[in-house]
């Protein structure tokens, strides 16, 4: 049997997401992530609407992920959306990843409970999409 430590999947880990509303109707989302002890941070601004917060959080997550990968993969947000499903909201994120060798169409989702900050769920949805392929690009960085 293989050693579990050597075969465990490594993933970019979400450390913290902070969402602040600004007095001018804008929002600011700070995303902090970690990969094998190295911290990555990104900040994005948007409009203080549900969709604006989702987009700012998703774009900040993508920026931090690109930094972690040493920009060996270009990541672009196709869209992020909140959908009512059963008794909660589900945040769905669609991401396009491009390298010289391959193009990826990635989809991720995360549940959001009533009262949750939507920026948290948007970031988790983007990571759900990215962590399927990001590991091999971060290892190259």
């Amino acid at each position: 049997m293989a050693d579990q430590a050597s075969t465990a999947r490594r993933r970019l880990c979400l450390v913290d997401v902070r969402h602040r509303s600004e007095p001018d109707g804008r929002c600011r989302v700070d995303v902090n992530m970690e990969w094998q002890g190295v911290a990555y941070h990104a900040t994005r601004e948007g409009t203080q609407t549900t969709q604006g917060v989702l987009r700012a959080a998703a774009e900040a997550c993508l920026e931090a992920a690109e930094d972690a990968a040493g920009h060996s993969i270009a990541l672009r947000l196709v869209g992020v959306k909140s959908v009512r499903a059963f008794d909660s909201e589900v945040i769905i994120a669609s991401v396009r990843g491009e390298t010289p060798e391959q193009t990826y169409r990635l989809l991720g989702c995360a549940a959001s409970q009533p009262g949750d900050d939507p920026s948290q769920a948007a970031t988790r949805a983007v990571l759900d999409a990215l962590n399927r392929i990001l590991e091999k690009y971060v290892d190259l960085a």
Side-chain angles (χ1 to χ4, degrees), residues 1 3-4 14 18 41 43 45 49 53 56 59 63 66 71 77 82 91-92 100 103 110-111 120-121 126 133 135 140:
M1 183 185 303
D3 183 332
Q4 281 188 325
L14 179 61
R18 294 185 190 260
H41 171 83
T43 300
E45 292 185 356
T49 63
V53 171
E59 288 177 345
E63 183 180 330
E66 275 187 335
H71 298 275
L77 182 66
S82 178
I91 310 302
I92 302 170
T103 298
Q120 294 274 342
V126 169
I133 58 107
E135 164 178 15
L140 296 174

Side-chain angles (χ1 to χ4, degrees), residues 27-125:
C27 72
R28 181 181 180 101
V29 179
D30 297 302
V31 174
N32 294 294
M33 292 193 272
E34 182 268 333
W35 177 270
Q36 296 182 344
V38 179
Y40 298 94
H41 171 83
T43 300
R44 285 295 176 103
E45 292 185 356
T47 58
Q48 184 54 47
T49 63
T50 300
Q51 189 60 39
V53 171
L54 294 175
R55 179 165 279 287
E59 288 177 345
C61 182
L62 289 175
E63 183 180 330
E66 275 187 335
D67 287 347
H71 298 275
S72 59
I73 183 169
L75 301 170
R76 182 175 60 88
L77 182 66
V78 175
V80 60
K81 184 175 185 167
S82 178
V83 178
R84 183 88 179 146
F86 308 107
D87 291 337
S88 64
E89 295 290 317
V90 177
I91 310 302
I92 302 170
S94 178
V95 175
R96 183 178 177 98
E98 292 185 27
T99 68
E101 301 81 31
Q102 191 165 0
T103 298
Y104 299 94
R105 291 181 54 182
L106 307 165
L107 192 65
C109 66
S112 179
Q113 300 301 319
D116 285 354
D117 182 347
S119 64
Q120 294 274 342
T123 305
R124 288 193 320 268

